[in-house]
């Protein structure tokens, strides 16, 4: 019997989705990939979701599509819930019908962020903005609807494609600003765990091969402030340019952010020998690949 998994990837042109597509398409001994972009499937259209996902007997459906503009979610609550939650429910229903594993990519923003330690999989989520609430609702609908599901939480994502929803990624923004000599101010009191999409794609491969279900935290190892992140980016890119550290109170945003949304995993060591490298190593690898 063939061990090749038939995988449908939704959001295949996104920052994470494009790295999943690139990695999985190179592993044809393990995966037969169908990459779906918004042109192939608008996930807010239940009939389209049903029709596309039940047209073949997929073993795995990966949903990497999302409405990721955190500040815009505050005013566009319906869009946030339609894309991040209701669409995820419809995808999970199709997964139930075809008996596929339903993979939902989620976020550190499901956490409140008011404690010093990193959040692990067993911690209770308590989102403090609309984006986080819509993503947690998506997680819950997937877990309650699909008989088999995997929730992969990542955080502060950077990857080759840039976040299409956000117009680039933080690494590129810092490098671009420094190169043109723009003043750079970055908050130094909000902490998180950066995630390189190249690494997250390989982790997802490992998780699928191990038959993992439930919730997994899949960021790069360690935590940093956005200021430390920016400093490392410029230093690893060999660009000498000053960065001013500012408190988040000096940079008001529409959506309130968790002050410490660093995530770590208590599950991964038992599932895979793959170690998520440190966020500094991940930035270095990203910069080298540009
Ligand atoms: N970016 C981050 O910092 C971050 C942090 C934590 C977790 N995450 C999660 O990681 C996952 C991937 O995010 P990302 O950074 O790769 O975002 P992204 O680059 O914006 O990709 C999201 C993709 O979803 C597609 N999409 C949006 N609405 C859709 C719809 N109605 N139907 C079909 N496709 C739709 C977008 O297509 P268009 O380009 O056509 O709009 C885009 O290709 C998401 O689940 C996100 O919540 C991201």
């Amino acid at each position: 019997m063939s061990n090749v998994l038939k995988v449908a990837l939704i959001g295949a042109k996104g920052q994470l989705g494009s790295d999943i597509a690139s990695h999985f398409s190179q592993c044809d001994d393990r995966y037969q990939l169908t990459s779906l972009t918004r042109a192939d499937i608008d996930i807010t259209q239940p009939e389209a979701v049903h029709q596309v996902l039940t047209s073949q007997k997929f073993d795995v459906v990966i949903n990497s599509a999302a409405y990721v503009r955190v500040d815009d979610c505050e005013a566009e609550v319906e869009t946030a819930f339609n894309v991040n939650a209701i669409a995820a429910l419809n995808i999970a229903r199709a997964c139930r019908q075809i008996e596929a594993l339903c993979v939902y990519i989620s976020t550190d923003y499901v956490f409140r962020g008011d404690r010093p330690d990193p959040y692990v999989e067993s911690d209770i989520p308590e989102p403090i903005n609309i984006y986080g609430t819509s993503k947690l609702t998506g997680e819950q609908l997937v877990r309650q609807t699909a008989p088999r599901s995997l929730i992969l939480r990542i955080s502060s994502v950077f990857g080759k494609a840039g976040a299409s929803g956000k117009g680039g990624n933080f690494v590129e923004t810092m490098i671009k600003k420094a190169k043109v000599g723009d003043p750079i101010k970055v908050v130094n009191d909000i902490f998180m765990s950066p995630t390189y999409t190249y690494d997250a794609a390989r982790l997802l491969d490992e998780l699928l091969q191990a038959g993992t279900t439930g919730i997994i935290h899949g960021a790069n190892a360690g935590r940093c402030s956005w200021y430390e992140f920016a400093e490392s980016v410029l230093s690893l890119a060999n660009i000498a340019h000053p960065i001013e550290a500012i408190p988040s109170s000096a940079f008001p945003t529409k959506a309130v952010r968790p002050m410490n949304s660093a995530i770590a995993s208590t599950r991964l060591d038992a599932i895979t020998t793959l170690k998520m490298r440190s966020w500094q190593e991940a930035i270095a690898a990203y910069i080298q690949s540009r």
Side-chain angles (χ1 to χ4, degrees), residues 72-132:
D72 292 344
C73 284
E74 294 297 309
E76 293 170 29
V77 180
E78 284 83 359
T79 306
F81 274 80
N82 279 337
V83 178
N84 296 338
I86 302 299
L89 167 67
N90 288 320
I91 292 167
R93 283 180 172 145
C95 287
R96 182 173 62 195
Q97 187 175 330
I98 59 172
E99 297 178 2
L101 174 73
C102 185
V103 180
Y104 179 78
I105 308 297
S106 194
T107 169
D108 55 325
Y109 275 20
V110 298
F111 293 112
R112 190 171 181 80
D114 60 349
R115 64 176 223 194
D117 308 322
Y119 288 88
V120 296
E121 290 90 347
S122 54
D123 284 319
I124 308 285
E126 197 186 343
I128 56 173
N129 56 38
I130 295 293
Y131 171 71

Side-chain angles (χ1 to χ4, degrees), residues 127-164:
I128 56 173
N129 56 38
I130 295 293
Y131 171 71
T133 307
S134 68
K135 293 293 291 185
L136 178 61
T137 307
E139 284 188 11
Q140 291 168 334
L141 290 170
V142 166
R143 294 180 72 196
Q144 284 163 14
T145 306
R148 281 187 313 126
S149 65
L150 170 63
I151 309 292
L152 176 59
R153 291 190 186 132
I154 54 175
S155 149
S156 307
V157 165
F158 62 98
K160 217 184 210 168
S164 62

Side-chain angles (χ1 to χ4, degrees), residues 14-229:
Q15 183 166 221
L16 174 64
S18 55
D19 267 345
I20 296 174
S22 152
H23 177 67
F24 278 51
S25 59
Q26 288 165 40
C27 307
D28 53 10
D29 57 327
R30 301 196 289 285
Y31 304 109
Q32 184 189 323
L33 183 70
T34 300
S35 287
L36 301 165
T37 67
R38 194 199 279 263
D40 304 307
I41 182 174
D42 176 348
I43 59 169
T44 62
Q45 302 301 314
E47 284 97 41
V49 169
H50 181 266
Q51 195 263 321
V52 173
L53 295 183
T54 59
S55 65
Q56 294 186 49
K57 173 72 191 76
F58 293 111
D59 300 299
V60 181
V61 176
I62 301 169
N63 176 15
S64 186
Y67 186 58
V68 296
R69 290 205 299 269
V70 175
D71 288 313
D72 292 344
C73 284
E74 294 297 309
E76 293 170 29
V77 180
E78 284 83 359
T79 306
F81 274 80
N82 279 337
V83 178
N84 296 338
I86 302 299
L89 167 67
N90 288 320
I91 292 167
R93 283 180 172 145
C95 287
R96 182 173 62 195
Q97 187 175 330
I98 59 172
E99 297 178 2
L101 174 73
C102 185
V103 180
Y104 179 78
I105 308 297
S106 194
T107 169
D108 55 325
Y109 275 20
V110 298
F111 293 112
R112 190 171 181 80
D114 60 349
R115 64 176 223 194
D117 308 322
Y119 288 88
V120 296
E121 290 90 347
S122 54
D123 284 319
I124 308 285
E126 197 186 343
I128 56 173
N129 56 38
I130 295 293
Y131 171 71
T133 307
S134 68
K135 293 293 291 185
L136 178 61
T137 307
E139 284 188 11
Q140 291 168 334
L141 290 170
V142 166
R143 294 180 72 196
Q144 284 163 14
T145 306
R148 281 187 313 126
S149 65
L150 170 63
I151 309 292
L152 176 59
R153 291 190 186 132
I154 54 175
S155 149
S156 307
V157 165
F158 62 98
K160 217 184 210 168
S164 62
K166 290 181 178 171
N169 69 46
F170 185 78
V171 177
E172 295 301 333
T173 304
M174 291 302 108
I175 291 175
K176 198 162 137 197
K177 276 177 171 262
K179 279 194 171 160
V180 298
D182 274 359
I184 305 184
K185 296 180 184 186
V186 184
V187 296
N188 67 351
D189 57 356
I190 295 187
F191 295 83
M192 42 74 207
S193 304
T195 308
Y196 183 19
T197 49
Y198 176 98
D199 291 347
R202 275 146 189 81
L203 177 65
L204 182 55
D205 175 8
E206 293 279 320
L207 296 174
L208 295 186
Q209 290 305 310
T212 314
T213 56
I215 297 170
I216 291 284
H217 287 182
N220 283 108
R223 69 157 215 167
C224 59
S225 68
W226 285 97
Y227 174 77
E228 291 167 318
F229 189 10

